[in-house]
Amino acid sequence: MNNSKIWLSSPHMGGTEQKYVQEAFDTNWVAPLGPNVSGFESDLEQYLGGHYPVAALSSGTAALHLALIMAGVTAGDEVICQSMTFSASANPIVYLGATPVFVDSEPETWNICPQALEDAIKARMAKGKKPKAIIAVHLYGMPFQVEAVVALARAYDIPLIEDSAEALGSHYKGQFCGTFGDFGVLSFNGNKIITTSGGGALVCRTAAEKDHAVFLATQARDAAPHYQHSHIGYNYRLSNICAGIGRGQMEVLDTHIALRRKMHDFYTDLFQSHEGVRVFQEPSSDYFCNFWLSAILVDPTQCQGKNREDLRLALEAANIESRPLWKPMHLQPVFASAPYYGGTVAARLFDDGLCLPSGSNLTDNDCERIARIINSF
C-alpha cells in the first residue's frame, strides 16, 4: 500500500516557471530587479483589476512591515490586529516599537469581529491612544466582513491594512481581496496558492505609494551618483529569479484555485455523513474563497468524545499532514501582555479546528487515503 507523505499544502509547479528562470540566467539578470520582477508586478496588477500598483518584495512579512511604515506607525503607537492569524501578521508591529492590540473573531468568516473592533477603537481612544492602523486578515482565503470593517476604518479615519497573504484570488462581491484597504499584503511562500519559493507583494492605491515602497525596499538610496541615504531603508526587493517562478505560477493561478475549491467540495461531501463535524464554508454568495486551506470544526460532544487532536494524530499515524487552526495571538506567550478585546470565539475555533490537506496537486489516490482514514476514525 502506498504510504508516501500527504502534505497539508505543498508547492505545485505549472511547467512554464523554468522558461522564465532560464531567461534570467541567459541574460545574467540574477540579481534583484530585472524583467521578471517588473513582469510579475504587471501580471499581479492586471489580475487584481489593473487599478492597484503592486511592489514585489522578498516576503509578505516585508510587505506588511512597509505598509505599517507607510501608514505612519512609529515607536509607542498602537496597532489593532486580528488575533486569530499567523504570527507574521503581528510581528512587524513590534519591529517598529509599536504595541499590538488584539481583537477577537466572529464565527461566520472566522475573521476580525466588527463589534469587537469598534469596542477596541473606542477603548483605546478613551485612554488617549488612537490606533494608528488596523490589520485585518482574510483567514484561509475567506474574505472578512469587508463592508463593516472598511466602514469602521473610514469612520474613525484609521488606515486599513489587508493581510491577504492567504487570499490571492479570493473576492467579495466581485472585488479581489487585497484591494479594499489602504494597503494589501500578498504572500508567495512555499505553501501558498502560488509560490515564488519565498516572496510577497505590497498592493498600493497609487503609483506614488508603490514608488515609495520600492524606494524603502531598496535601502532608501537617494537620487545621487554616490550612496546617500536620508531615510532608513530595507533589503526587501524580490529577486529576478524568484519573480521568474512567479510569472510561471501566475499562468496556473486560476487552475490552482479551482483545484483547491475542488478539495473543499471533497471534504464537504465526505463529512456530510459525520455528525459533529462542520466544514468551513462561505457565509453567502457574496463571498468567493480560494480555500487555500480547507478546515473543519470537530465538536467532541457530538463525536463520542473524540476531538480534533485525536483526528490529527490518526491522520499523522497514516503519514497524512493536518494542522490545528492558528493559535490566537492573544494566547501566545510572546504577546501575553498585549491588550485584547472580544470574547472566546477565536479561542474556541483553535480548540476545535483542524486544517486538512488542501493542495492543488493532491491525487485521487491521496483523496481515497484521506477518506479511508477519516471514515475509519
Side-chain angles (χ1 to χ4, degrees), residues 45 51-55 70 183 202-215:
E45 288 166 0
H51 309 297
Y52 305 94
V54 173
M70 293 171 68
F183 297 99
L202 181 65
V203 183
C204 301
R205 288 280 185 168
T206 67
E209 287 175 341
K210 174 185 174 177
D211 289 345
H212 187 54
V214 170
F215 168 73

PDB file of all heavy atoms in Angstrom, residues 45 51-55 70 183 202-215:
ATOM      1  N   GLU A  45      -0.819  43.094 -11.111  1.00  0.00           N
ATOM      2  CA  GLU A  45      -1.665  44.284 -11.271  1.00  0.00           C
ATOM      3  C   GLU A  45      -2.845  44.011 -12.191  1.00  0.00           C
ATOM      4  O   GLU A  45      -3.987  44.397 -11.894  1.00  0.00           O
ATOM      5  CB  GLU A  45      -0.811  45.446 -11.801  1.00  0.00           C
ATOM      6  CG  GLU A  45       0.159  46.005 -10.768  1.00  0.00           C
ATOM      7  CD  GLU A  45       1.229  46.914 -11.365  1.00  0.00           C
ATOM      8  OE1 GLU A  45       1.214  47.122 -12.599  1.00  0.00           O
ATOM      9  OE2 GLU A  45       2.078  47.403 -10.598  1.00  0.00           O
ATOM     10  N   HIS A  51      -5.931  48.448 -11.496  1.00  0.00           N
ATOM     11  CA  HIS A  51      -6.007  49.782 -10.872  1.00  0.00           C
ATOM     12  C   HIS A  51      -5.124  49.923  -9.633  1.00  0.00           C
ATOM     13  O   HIS A  51      -5.101  51.003  -9.031  1.00  0.00           O
ATOM     14  CB  HIS A  51      -7.449  50.099 -10.475  1.00  0.00           C
ATOM     15  CG  HIS A  51      -8.443  49.910 -11.575  1.00  0.00           C
ATOM     16  ND1 HIS A  51      -8.417  50.661 -12.739  1.00  0.00           N
ATOM     17  CD2 HIS A  51      -9.489  49.048 -11.704  1.00  0.00           C
ATOM     18  CE1 HIS A  51      -9.410  50.271 -13.527  1.00  0.00           C
ATOM     19  NE2 HIS A  51     -10.062  49.289 -12.936  1.00  0.00           N
ATOM     20  N   TYR A  52      -4.419  48.865  -9.260  1.00  0.00           N
ATOM     21  CA  TYR A  52      -3.701  48.868  -7.988  1.00  0.00           C
ATOM     22  C   TYR A  52      -2.237  48.527  -8.222  1.00  0.00           C
ATOM     23  O   TYR A  52      -1.897  47.365  -8.492  1.00  0.00           O
ATOM     24  CB  TYR A  52      -4.335  47.861  -7.017  1.00  0.00           C
ATOM     25  CG  TYR A  52      -5.815  48.101  -6.827  1.00  0.00           C
ATOM     26  CD1 TYR A  52      -6.752  47.410  -7.599  1.00  0.00           C
ATOM     27  CD2 TYR A  52      -6.269  49.038  -5.907  1.00  0.00           C
ATOM     28  CE1 TYR A  52      -8.111  47.640  -7.450  1.00  0.00           C
ATOM     29  CE2 TYR A  52      -7.624  49.285  -5.754  1.00  0.00           C
ATOM     30  CZ  TYR A  52      -8.536  48.580  -6.526  1.00  0.00           C
ATOM     31  OH  TYR A  52      -9.891  48.822  -6.385  1.00  0.00           O
ATOM     32  N   PRO A  53      -1.341  49.515  -8.129  1.00  0.00           N
ATOM     33  CA  PRO A  53       0.091  49.258  -8.329  1.00  0.00           C
ATOM     34  C   PRO A  53       0.622  48.269  -7.284  1.00  0.00           C
ATOM     35  O   PRO A  53       0.255  48.331  -6.109  1.00  0.00           O
ATOM     36  CB  PRO A  53       0.728  50.641  -8.158  1.00  0.00           C
ATOM     37  CG  PRO A  53      -0.385  51.609  -8.429  1.00  0.00           C
ATOM     38  CD  PRO A  53      -1.617  50.948  -7.926  1.00  0.00           C
ATOM     39  N   VAL A  54       1.486  47.367  -7.737  1.00  0.00           N
ATOM     40  CA  VAL A  54       1.999  46.297  -6.881  1.00  0.00           C
ATOM     41  C   VAL A  54       3.521  46.351  -6.852  1.00  0.00           C
ATOM     42  O   VAL A  54       4.171  46.468  -7.901  1.00  0.00           O
ATOM     43  CB  VAL A  54       1.548  44.916  -7.400  1.00  0.00           C
ATOM     44  CG1 VAL A  54       2.225  43.793  -6.625  1.00  0.00           C
ATOM     45  CG2 VAL A  54       0.026  44.783  -7.314  1.00  0.00           C
ATOM     46  N   ALA A  55       4.089  46.257  -5.649  1.00  0.00           N
ATOM     47  CA  ALA A  55       5.534  46.170  -5.470  1.00  0.00           C
ATOM     48  C   ALA A  55       5.889  44.761  -5.033  1.00  0.00           C
ATOM     49  O   ALA A  55       5.405  44.284  -3.998  1.00  0.00           O
ATOM     50  CB  ALA A  55       6.012  47.178  -4.427  1.00  0.00           C
ATOM     51  N   MET A  70       4.494  53.021   6.000  1.00  0.00           N
ATOM     52  CA  MET A  70       3.837  53.988   5.131  1.00  0.00           C
ATOM     53  C   MET A  70       2.520  54.497   5.719  1.00  0.00           C
ATOM     54  O   MET A  70       2.044  55.574   5.347  1.00  0.00           O
ATOM     55  CB  MET A  70       3.630  53.377   3.749  1.00  0.00           C
ATOM     56  CG  MET A  70       4.965  53.126   3.036  1.00  0.00           C
ATOM     57  SD  MET A  70       4.837  52.172   1.517  1.00  0.00           S
ATOM     58  CE  MET A  70       3.978  53.316   0.452  1.00  0.00           C
ATOM     59  N   PHE A 183      -3.726  49.522   2.087  1.00  0.00           N
ATOM     60  CA  PHE A 183      -2.657  48.672   1.549  1.00  0.00           C
ATOM     61  C   PHE A 183      -3.110  47.222   1.635  1.00  0.00           C
ATOM     62  O   PHE A 183      -3.869  46.851   2.533  1.00  0.00           O
ATOM     63  CB  PHE A 183      -1.355  48.841   2.342  1.00  0.00           C
ATOM     64  CG  PHE A 183      -0.764  50.215   2.275  1.00  0.00           C
ATOM     65  CD1 PHE A 183      -0.963  51.114   3.309  1.00  0.00           C
ATOM     66  CD2 PHE A 183      -0.012  50.605   1.172  1.00  0.00           C
ATOM     67  CE1 PHE A 183      -0.429  52.398   3.249  1.00  0.00           C
ATOM     68  CE2 PHE A 183       0.523  51.888   1.101  1.00  0.00           C
ATOM     69  CZ  PHE A 183       0.320  52.780   2.138  1.00  0.00           C
ATOM     70  N   LEU A 202       3.316  44.086  -2.009  1.00  0.00           N
ATOM     71  CA  LEU A 202       2.519  45.145  -1.387  1.00  0.00           C
ATOM     72  C   LEU A 202       1.613  45.737  -2.449  1.00  0.00           C
ATOM     73  O   LEU A 202       2.090  46.210  -3.491  1.00  0.00           O
ATOM     74  CB  LEU A 202       3.428  46.231  -0.796  1.00  0.00           C
ATOM     75  CG  LEU A 202       2.707  47.383  -0.087  1.00  0.00           C
ATOM     76  CD1 LEU A 202       1.964  46.884   1.156  1.00  0.00           C
ATOM     77  CD2 LEU A 202       3.690  48.494   0.297  1.00  0.00           C
ATOM     78  N   VAL A 203       0.309  45.695  -2.205  1.00  0.00           N
ATOM     79  CA  VAL A 203      -0.675  46.270  -3.113  1.00  0.00           C
ATOM     80  C   VAL A 203      -0.967  47.689  -2.639  1.00  0.00           C
ATOM     81  O   VAL A 203      -1.366  47.895  -1.486  1.00  0.00           O
ATOM     82  CB  VAL A 203      -1.968  45.436  -3.130  1.00  0.00           C
ATOM     83  CG1 VAL A 203      -2.962  46.008  -4.146  1.00  0.00           C
ATOM     84  CG2 VAL A 203      -1.664  43.975  -3.447  1.00  0.00           C
ATOM     85  N   CYS A 204      -0.741  48.651  -3.524  1.00  0.00           N
ATOM     86  CA  CYS A 204      -0.883  50.058  -3.168  1.00  0.00           C
ATOM     87  C   CYS A 204      -2.100  50.681  -3.858  1.00  0.00           C
ATOM     88  O   CYS A 204      -2.715  50.072  -4.740  1.00  0.00           O
ATOM     89  CB  CYS A 204       0.378  50.829  -3.567  1.00  0.00           C
ATOM     90  SG  CYS A 204       1.893  50.206  -2.781  1.00  0.00           S
ATOM     91  N   ARG A 205      -2.411  51.899  -3.483  1.00  0.00           N
ATOM     92  CA  ARG A 205      -3.505  52.647  -4.105  1.00  0.00           C
ATOM     93  C   ARG A 205      -3.022  53.528  -5.241  1.00  0.00           C
ATOM     94  O   ARG A 205      -3.762  53.771  -6.196  1.00  0.00           O
ATOM     95  CB  ARG A 205      -4.202  53.523  -3.050  1.00  0.00           C
ATOM     96  CG  ARG A 205      -5.042  52.757  -2.062  1.00  0.00           C
ATOM     97  CD  ARG A 205      -6.376  52.393  -2.658  1.00  0.00           C
ATOM     98  NE  ARG A 205      -7.268  51.743  -1.703  1.00  0.00           N
ATOM     99  CZ  ARG A 205      -8.557  51.535  -1.921  1.00  0.00           C
ATOM    100  NH1 ARG A 205      -9.095  51.934  -3.050  1.00  0.00           N
ATOM    101  NH2 ARG A 205      -9.295  50.921  -1.026  1.00  0.00           N
ATOM    102  N   THR A 206      -1.793  54.024  -5.143  1.00  0.00           N
ATOM    103  CA  THR A 206      -1.279  54.967  -6.140  1.00  0.00           C
ATOM    104  C   THR A 206       0.117  54.562  -6.590  1.00  0.00           C
ATOM    105  O   THR A 206       0.837  53.850  -5.880  1.00  0.00           O
ATOM    106  CB  THR A 206      -1.213  56.395  -5.574  1.00  0.00           C
ATOM    107  OG1 THR A 206      -0.221  56.437  -4.531  1.00  0.00           O
ATOM    108  CG2 THR A 206      -2.562  56.841  -5.007  1.00  0.00           C
ATOM    109  N   ALA A 207       0.489  55.050  -7.755  1.00  0.00           N
ATOM    110  CA  ALA A 207       1.837  54.803  -8.267  1.00  0.00           C
ATOM    111  C   ALA A 207       2.883  55.421  -7.348  1.00  0.00           C
ATOM    112  O   ALA A 207       3.975  54.871  -7.172  1.00  0.00           O
ATOM    113  CB  ALA A 207       1.960  55.356  -9.682  1.00  0.00           C
ATOM    114  N   ALA A 208       2.545  56.575  -6.754  1.00  0.00           N
ATOM    115  CA  ALA A 208       3.489  57.237  -5.846  1.00  0.00           C
ATOM    116  C   ALA A 208       3.757  56.375  -4.616  1.00  0.00           C
ATOM    117  O   ALA A 208       4.893  56.299  -4.130  1.00  0.00           O
ATOM    118  CB  ALA A 208       2.941  58.604  -5.429  1.00  0.00           C
ATOM    119  N   GLU A 209       2.728  55.712  -4.121  1.00  0.00           N
ATOM    120  CA  GLU A 209       2.918  54.822  -2.972  1.00  0.00           C
ATOM    121  C   GLU A 209       3.802  53.630  -3.344  1.00  0.00           C
ATOM    122  O   GLU A 209       4.673  53.235  -2.571  1.00  0.00           O
ATOM    123  CB  GLU A 209       1.563  54.329  -2.463  1.00  0.00           C
ATOM    124  CG  GLU A 209       0.759  55.390  -1.724  1.00  0.00           C
ATOM    125  CD  GLU A 209      -0.617  54.903  -1.338  1.00  0.00           C
ATOM    126  OE1 GLU A 209      -1.101  53.903  -1.924  1.00  0.00           O
ATOM    127  OE2 GLU A 209      -1.229  55.534  -0.457  1.00  0.00           O
ATOM    128  N   LYS A 210       3.572  53.078  -4.524  1.00  0.00           N
ATOM    129  CA  LYS A 210       4.420  51.972  -4.962  1.00  0.00           C
ATOM    130  C   LYS A 210       5.872  52.439  -5.072  1.00  0.00           C
ATOM    131  O   LYS A 210       6.795  51.739  -4.621  1.00  0.00           O
ATOM    132  CB  LYS A 210       3.948  51.417  -6.299  1.00  0.00           C
ATOM    133  CG  LYS A 210       4.894  50.355  -6.863  1.00  0.00           C
ATOM    134  CD  LYS A 210       4.504  49.873  -8.246  1.00  0.00           C
ATOM    135  CE  LYS A 210       5.565  48.941  -8.815  1.00  0.00           C
ATOM    136  NZ  LYS A 210       5.204  48.390 -10.147  1.00  0.00           N
ATOM    137  N   ASP A 211       6.084  53.600  -5.673  1.00  0.00           N
ATOM    138  CA  ASP A 211       7.448  54.119  -5.833  1.00  0.00           C
ATOM    139  C   ASP A 211       8.116  54.276  -4.471  1.00  0.00           C
ATOM    140  O   ASP A 211       9.314  53.963  -4.319  1.00  0.00           O
ATOM    141  CB  ASP A 211       7.430  55.456  -6.573  1.00  0.00           C
ATOM    142  CG  ASP A 211       7.064  55.306  -8.042  1.00  0.00           C
ATOM    143  OD1 ASP A 211       7.103  54.170  -8.559  1.00  0.00           O
ATOM    144  OD2 ASP A 211       6.726  56.332  -8.667  1.00  0.00           O
ATOM    145  N   HIS A 212       7.356  54.769  -3.492  1.00  0.00           N
ATOM    146  CA  HIS A 212       7.928  54.970  -2.162  1.00  0.00           C
ATOM    147  C   HIS A 212       8.243  53.620  -1.514  1.00  0.00           C
ATOM    148  O   HIS A 212       9.290  53.466  -0.851  1.00  0.00           O
ATOM    149  CB  HIS A 212       6.969  55.765  -1.283  1.00  0.00           C
ATOM    150  CG  HIS A 212       7.549  56.154   0.045  1.00  0.00           C
ATOM    151  ND1 HIS A 212       8.746  56.831   0.174  1.00  0.00           N
ATOM    152  CD2 HIS A 212       7.120  55.934   1.319  1.00  0.00           C
ATOM    153  CE1 HIS A 212       9.017  57.029   1.442  1.00  0.00           C
ATOM    154  NE2 HIS A 212       8.051  56.487   2.168  1.00  0.00           N
ATOM    155  N   ALA A 213       7.364  52.635  -1.706  1.00  0.00           N
ATOM    156  CA  ALA A 213       7.614  51.298  -1.157  1.00  0.00           C
ATOM    157  C   ALA A 213       8.880  50.701  -1.753  1.00  0.00           C
ATOM    158  O   ALA A 213       9.710  50.126  -1.039  1.00  0.00           O
ATOM    159  CB  ALA A 213       6.412  50.392  -1.422  1.00  0.00           C
ATOM    160  N   VAL A 214       9.049  50.840  -3.066  1.00  0.00           N
ATOM    161  CA  VAL A 214      10.242  50.310  -3.736  1.00  0.00           C
ATOM    162  C   VAL A 214      11.492  51.048  -3.248  1.00  0.00           C
ATOM    163  O   VAL A 214      12.552  50.438  -3.042  1.00  0.00           O
ATOM    164  CB  VAL A 214      10.094  50.412  -5.264  1.00  0.00           C
ATOM    165  CG1 VAL A 214      11.409  50.096  -5.968  1.00  0.00           C
ATOM    166  CG2 VAL A 214       8.985  49.478  -5.751  1.00  0.00           C
ATOM    167  N   PHE A 215      11.381  52.344  -3.047  1.00  0.00           N
ATOM    168  CA  PHE A 215      12.486  53.146  -2.512  1.00  0.00           C
ATOM    169  C   PHE A 215      12.925  52.602  -1.151  1.00  0.00           C
ATOM    170  O   PHE A 215      14.117  52.351  -0.915  1.00  0.00           O
ATOM    171  CB  PHE A 215      12.035  54.605  -2.394  1.00  0.00           C
ATOM    172  CG  PHE A 215      12.957  55.496  -1.607  1.00  0.00           C
ATOM    173  CD1 PHE A 215      14.172  55.907  -2.126  1.00  0.00           C
ATOM    174  CD2 PHE A 215      12.587  55.949  -0.340  1.00  0.00           C
ATOM    175  CE1 PHE A 215      15.023  56.746  -1.402  1.00  0.00           C
ATOM    176  CE2 PHE A 215      13.426  56.779   0.395  1.00  0.00           C
ATOM    177  CZ  PHE A 215      14.644  57.177  -0.136  1.00  0.00           C
TER     178      PHE A 215
END
